[in-house]
Amino acid sequence: TCSLNVVKFLYSKGCKVNTLSKMNRSPLSKAAYTGRIEIVDFLLTCPEVDVNEAGERGRTALQMAVWGKAGGRHGKKVGHNDAEDSPEIAQLLLEKGANINQRDHEGNTALYTAAHSLAEGSIPVLMSFGAIVDNQNNLGETPLFKASQKGYLSVCRVLLENYKADPFLKAKSGFDSFEVAIESQQTEIVSYYLEKLVEKLNQEGCD
């Protein structure tokens, strides 16, 4: 792996910090994805760095930082031994002006990325900087919708109970978060929603 000293040396020799690789990834984006907080911290001191540069599929360094262990075309994070997201890097990027609700080519924000890749640890950081909890992507899917479809109960709990995500917003498929859990046979999620519905009905009955 590339060390911080190597990065500093290359920068001192004139390497451009915003240059994209053949995979359309910037150094900042790659460092964020692999959890290299010391490299991210250095790159953010470079005055010319573009913290919102969109690379592959329109994704930013912030989206790469909150990419969790269950994301990607292989169903898991690949290319790095540490398969977790990095809330600490997300915090650094946001403090340097990363656009919290910037959308990629599919209309996904960083919060959606965190939700669909089982990165519940990054969600509080994103929400504290103003993430829109019910942002709908090009397919009309919200972060809660995707977590429900995937069966990520911990993410659903955080979004619904802590940040009041709306489980009844319809995607273009015609399903809402509860219905897509049924369609996807996510029995644990369905049971959770039914429990919350019963709680709500009981509360309304007591009022």
Side-chain angles (χ1 to χ4, degrees), residues 16-34 39 43 49-65 67 71-74 76-80 105:
K16 307 299 183 183
V17 296
N18 296 316
T19 300
L20 299 180
S21 69
K22 291 182 179 180
M23 296 292 291
N24 286 324
R25 295 168 183 160
S26 69
L28 183 62
S29 179
K30 186 65 175 180
Y33 180 77
T34 53
I39 293 178
L43 292 173
V49 71
D50 183 357
V51 72
N52 291 310
E53 183 172 33
E56 184 186 24
R57 301 183 183 180
R59 293 170 180 156
T60 64
L62 180 60
Q63 284 179 289
M64 295 295 96
W67 199 285
R73 61 184 179 276
H74 299 291
K76 62 181 180 179
K77 192 172 184 179
V78 296
H80 189 57
H105 297 334

Side-chain angles (χ1 to χ4, degrees), residues 8 14 47 50 94 102 148:
K8 288 181 175 180
D50 183 357
L94 288 162
Q102 186 165 329
S148 301

Side-chain angles (χ1 to χ4, degrees), residues 46 54 82 84 94 101 109 134-135 171 186 188:
C46 303
D82 182 4
E84 301 292 335
L94 288 162
N101 293 307
T109 63
D134 288 324
N135 181 78
Q186 301 293 353
E188 192 175 28

Side-chain angles (χ1 to χ4, degrees), residues 27 96 117 137:
K96 289 293 186 177
S117 62
N137 66 11

Side-chain angles (χ1 to χ4, degrees), residues 1-5 7-8 31 34-45 89 92:
T1 57
C2 186
S3 72
L4 176 58
N5 286 336
V7 173
K8 288 181 175 180
T34 53
R36 301 297 299 275
I37 190 168
E38 75 284 1
I39 293 178
V40 169
D41 194 35
F42 168 72
L43 292 173
L44 290 175
T45 66
I89 289 178
L92 284 177

